[in-house]
Amino acid sequence: MAILKHIASKNSDYTEPERYLIFEHDEKTGKMVLDTDGYPVQRKKYILDGINCDPGAFAAECRRANRAFRKNSGKDEIKTHHYIISFDPKDRELGLTMEKAHAMGMDFAKKYFPGHQALVCAHDDGSNGSGNIHVHIVINSLRIYDVPPLPYKQRKYDCKAGYKHCCTNAFLHYLRESVMKMCQMAGLNQVDLFHSDRRVTDQEYHAAQRGQDKLDQENAAVVAAGEQPKQTRFETEKEKLRQAILDAVSRSRSVSEFRQILLEEHGIRVKESRGRWSYLPPDRKQPITSRRLGDLCSKEAVTEAIQKRVREQLETGTPMQKLEPPEISRKTATSDLLSGAENIGQIIDIEKAGDSEAYAQWIKIHNLQEQAKTFNFMSEHGLLSGGELDEEYARLTERFRAGRTGIKDTEAKLKDVNRKLRLLGQYYKGKAVYREYVRCGKKPAFQKEHQAELTLYETASRE
């Protein structure tokens, strides 16, 4: 799977990226590797070309352009943008060579960074000994030619000479989609990171690769010992969560049963915010949104899959296995019910809009949305019938009254504790004065002078 990385640099030394592309560097320290005579060691194999510049005079031409347009003179200005397209190590088996990757990088740079002075360099020595082929694209942040607009929403001056390159999150998203399409057209290993039933990020992809390699080594040792390996396929935490969701979908007749299976069998809570689902595994504090897991885990996809399964079984006459209710207390069930209703707001009186038609229209839309949330919530929890709703209301009322009684008892205990703490403070504060009073020879005069302290001490002692 090819990935795209971006590095913005404020270093005014334009020869630094040239040295990095041509000479070997230590991966841990980032410094150039020197030979015994103290000279930098040139990379064994690389392909270097320039766009709108001579690759051997990149630094001089960039400085000349900066002086001409009076840009990139400040310390805090971004001087260069460094993009790295890293291909999958397995792409070599599909015919990817360093020459082919370099040609793809040149086409990519000409298409998406037009008007910039750029260096394009291909390497075949991946980081950490992976040996994957990758392409470096280093561009001067200043644009020296007017260019036509890209098929991407840009500002007007993003196409004018004398202005600087702007790398936003939206533009990076656009470039990464372009890298995916480029690799797919070339027949290379590529996973759709943005529109996929299982949305796998590059971090998860590489974590799975590392985990699988480690598992294969462990299994080889187990087989060498004459035993059978227990697990042959490594799964990340997100993949385990996806499998649990798909398993719950395949056995559910409704959304409420889907939530119940995930909670009871896997300990996964389903939360909803603004109409979108997120999943909270038992070993995490922050939930994982359905968008990060893939389209199959979204609220719409799960609901549609469950409804489709129910329709198919009704049409074929296949009996559906009834899900037994969980063996949990009514108190716990009510707590889950209350936690699920936290996203439902209140209805706003339309009269508050007054003469404002826009505010009145917003109130109507808001009320319809809250009514829809209420109906969906009651439908999922089986509260549409009057009897069940009255029963649930009676249980909540009983819990409320019991809680209010408990609060009053606790408040009374806290009041008594606070009184005792106050008296204890009075006692220790007046204890020294009282001892001095006992030892004093002129008690009437001492008592008259310290009447308040002695009175508080005697009151606290009696208590």
Side-chain angles (χ1 to χ4, degrees), residues 270-278 289-291 298-300 343:
V270 181
K271 295 190 173 185
E272 183 173 357
S273 176
R274 298 181 180 179
R276 297 178 181 178
W277 277 359
S278 61
T289 60
S290 58
R291 183 179 62 85
S298 64
K299 178 182 178 181
E300 296 77 10
N343 295 322

Side-chain angles (χ1 to χ4, degrees), residues 207-226:
Q209 293 290 329
R210 291 192 297 268
Q212 187 64 48
D213 294 339
K214 184 177 179 181
L215 182 62
D216 291 340
Q217 294 176 2
E218 294 175 354
N219 288 340
V222 170
V223 173

Side-chain angles (χ1 to χ4, degrees), residues 33-92:
V33 178
L34 304 179
D35 58 15
T36 55
D37 297 328
Y39 293 102
V41 178
Q42 192 171 0
R43 294 182 183 271
K44 296 180 180 179
K45 189 177 181 181
Y46 66 91
I47 303 176
L48 178 64
D49 270 322
I51 299 176
N52 297 327
C53 69
D54 181 0
F58 175 74
E61 294 189 18
C62 288
R63 286 193 290 264
R64 190 181 303 116
N66 293 338
R67 287 194 298 268
F69 288 100
R70 298 181 180 180
K71 293 290 179 72
N72 287 334
S73 58
K75 292 183 178 180
D76 293 332
E77 290 189 73
I78 296 177
K79 310 300 189 303
T80 59
H81 292 270
H82 190 169
Y83 293 88
I84 306 172
I85 303 176
S86 298
F87 297 94
D88 194 302
K90 298 180 181 178
D91 286 340
R92 290 176 179 269

